[in-house]
Amino acid sequence: MPQHHPSVASGYRLRAEFRIWHEGDDLHYVMFPPGEPHNPQVIHEFPIAGPRITEAMLPLREILQDSPELRRKLFQVEFLSTLSGELLITLIYHRPLDDSWQSAAQALSETLSCKMIGRSRKQKLVLDTDWVEELIKVDNREYRYRQPEQCFTQPNGYINQTMMGWLLEHCGATDTDLLELYCGIGNFTLPLSQRFRRVLATELSKPATAAARLNAETNQTDNIELARLSAEEMTAAMAQERVFRRLAHLKQPLPQYQFDTLLVDPPRAGLDEATLKLASTFKRVLYISCNPETLSHNLVTLSSTHEIQNLAFFDQFPYTHHLESGVVLTKKIA
């Protein structure tokens, strides 16, 4: 029987972005309905956002509205917060930013007790740091994560912890190795590393790979190796179709790993044909999906070699049609 893990009703979303709508002396946060780019909807309140975001929205709007330097040609505002209570605000402009902007932004940062970034074309001004630090508690252990601006992070922190716990529940300790594709900043990598002898995790994004490496070091894990490869490239490496210099740093050659389990958390497009072929060779596949449709298509292919042992649904995006799913598949006995 599939498990269902509901989200809390409000205060769960740790990321948010709004267009800024200028109307005379007024300034508003707006969002646009899907397919309606010319129909701005003013956002007065946003209760689904985390508390640091909801607390900052009104005073930020008032300060922006009263500051000619901060509001001039302001285009968009992005919020990144954490369960640990940090907040990073990015202001995006259609003009170059100078010392006057930086001075006004510094005062704003101090008033709101947050980190601040200003962006415009080919320009990025960072006040303090361009990352926040998250603290995740799962399975009686705490993990610290550096979450850089513009790197993907799980938007619902509570459900993220639930997904981590679910994965650990279905991964008993083993003396074999884990291969993870699409590892991002190491979100699932860190807790799962305690269940395996060694972990090889891959990610294509340079900033995300760098953050994952730092997070592994911060949490004093010594059995994680990171490689900056796409899923397609890792599939080619596993099939010995290509030799990648980006794997040369591994403490041991790729063929010496004893991969038993594969973890995938792909984008909405799901797994490509080559990666599905690779997945079919593993004894166990852990599949985290953000798109039920592509997951369903992928499971049709994997069902020829694997059986579904566990299925769970995680309501990471309440009030929307989006659904996060988790599947544990085990190899069929011939």
Side-chain angles (χ1 to χ4, degrees), residues 257-275:
Y257 280 86
Q258 296 179 29
F259 291 121
D260 188 290
T261 303
L262 174 68
L263 168 63
V264 292
D265 182 11
R268 294 191 61 78
L271 300 178
D272 65 278
E273 188 173 331
T275 307

Side-chain angles (χ1 to χ4, degrees), residues 134-151:
E134 179 62 290
L135 180 64
I136 296 290
K137 298 179 181 179
V138 60
D139 200 31
N140 298 316
R141 185 170 172 179
E142 293 183 343
Y143 298 90
R144 293 190 177 277
Y145 292 86
R146 176 175 293 190
Q147 298 182 342
E149 183 228 16
Q150 296 201 328
C151 278

Side-chain angles (χ1 to χ4, degrees), residues 113-331:
S113 299
C114 69
K115 299 179 179 181
M116 188 77 60
I117 294 176
R119 283 187 174 273
S120 64
R121 180 178 171 83
K122 297 182 179 181
Q123 188 179 25
K124 176 182 176 181
L125 296 181
V126 179
L127 309 184
D128 199 342
T129 71
D130 63 351
W131 48 266
V132 292
E133 185 174 276
E134 179 62 290
L135 180 64
I136 296 290
K137 298 179 181 179
V138 60
D139 200 31
N140 298 316
R141 185 170 172 179
E142 293 183 343
Y143 298 90
R144 293 190 177 277
Y145 292 86
R146 176 175 293 190
Q147 298 182 342
E149 183 228 16
Q150 296 201 328
C151 278
F152 174 78
T153 53
Q154 296 289 341
N156 189 325
Y158 303 101
I159 289 295
N160 185 36
Q161 290 183 138
T162 301
M163 289 193 294
M164 289 178 175
W166 180 82
L167 284 170
L168 288 173
E169 178 185 346
H170 296 291
C171 282
T174 174
D175 61 354
T176 59
D177 303 327
L178 168 69
L179 175 63
E180 180 183 2
L181 308 181
Y182 315 96
C183 77
I185 66 168
N187 182 67
F188 297 125
T189 318
L190 295 182
L192 278 177
S193 67
Q194 65 181 286
R195 295 288 201 257
F196 295 89
R197 181 179 59 179
R198 288 181 295 258
V199 177
L200 175 57
T202 68
E203 169 61 45
L204 185 58
S205 163
K206 282 185 179 181
T209 302
R213 185 167 287 111
L214 179 75
N215 290 334
E217 294 172 357
T218 299
N219 290 274
Q220 299 179 329
T221 56
D222 57 7
N223 65 335
I224 297 175
E225 294 261 35
L226 280 300
R228 195 177 63 80
L229 276 79
S230 68
E232 294 80 4
E233 289 172 329
M234 191 63 209
T235 298
M238 290 286 291
Q240 299 184 335
E241 296 173 356
R242 286 183 60 188
V243 176
F244 291 90
R245 286 183 293 177
R246 282 168 284 167
L247 291 173
H249 69 281
L250 297 181
K251 295 177 182 178
Q252 62 181 34
L254 187 61
Q256 290 185 14
Y257 280 86
Q258 296 179 29
F259 291 121
D260 188 290
T261 303
L262 174 68
L263 168 63
V264 292
D265 182 11
R268 294 191 61 78
L271 300 178
D272 65 278
E273 188 173 331
T275 307
L276 281 170
K277 185 176 180 181
L278 172 66
S280 70
T281 66
F282 282 75
K283 289 184 180 180
R284 178 171 54 181
V285 178
L286 310 174
Y287 194 139
I288 300 295
S289 168
C290 61
N291 186 343
E293 292 185 6
T294 55
L295 172 63
S296 177
H297 292 315
N298 286 169
L299 290 179
V300 169
T301 301
L302 290 171
S303 65
S304 62
T305 55
H306 287 70
E307 296 177 330
I308 296 177
Q309 294 297 315
N310 299 94
L311 173 63
F313 299 110
F314 304 93
D315 197 8
Q316 184 156 193
F317 307 98
Y319 318 113
T320 77
H321 67 280
H322 296 289
L323 185 66
E324 199 89 2
S325 310
V327 187
V328 178
L329 301 114
T330 56
K331 188 88 168 177

Side-chain angles (χ1 to χ4, degrees), residues 74-123:
L74 176 63
F75 171 71
Q76 185 164 303
V77 175
E78 298 177 355
F79 297 90
L80 174 62
S81 66
T82 65
L83 295 175
S84 65
E86 292 197 5
L87 176 64
L88 170 62
I89 299 175
T90 301
L91 303 179
I92 304 175
Y93 292 83
H94 282 321
R95 67 177 177 90
L97 304 178
D98 55 19
D99 291 344
S100 296
W101 177 89
Q102 191 159 344
S103 178
Q106 184 65 52
L108 171 59
S109 173
E110 293 169 0
T111 298
L112 297 181
S113 299
C114 69
K115 299 179 179 181
M116 188 77 60
I117 294 176
R119 283 187 174 273
S120 64
R121 180 178 171 83
K122 297 182 179 181
Q123 188 179 25

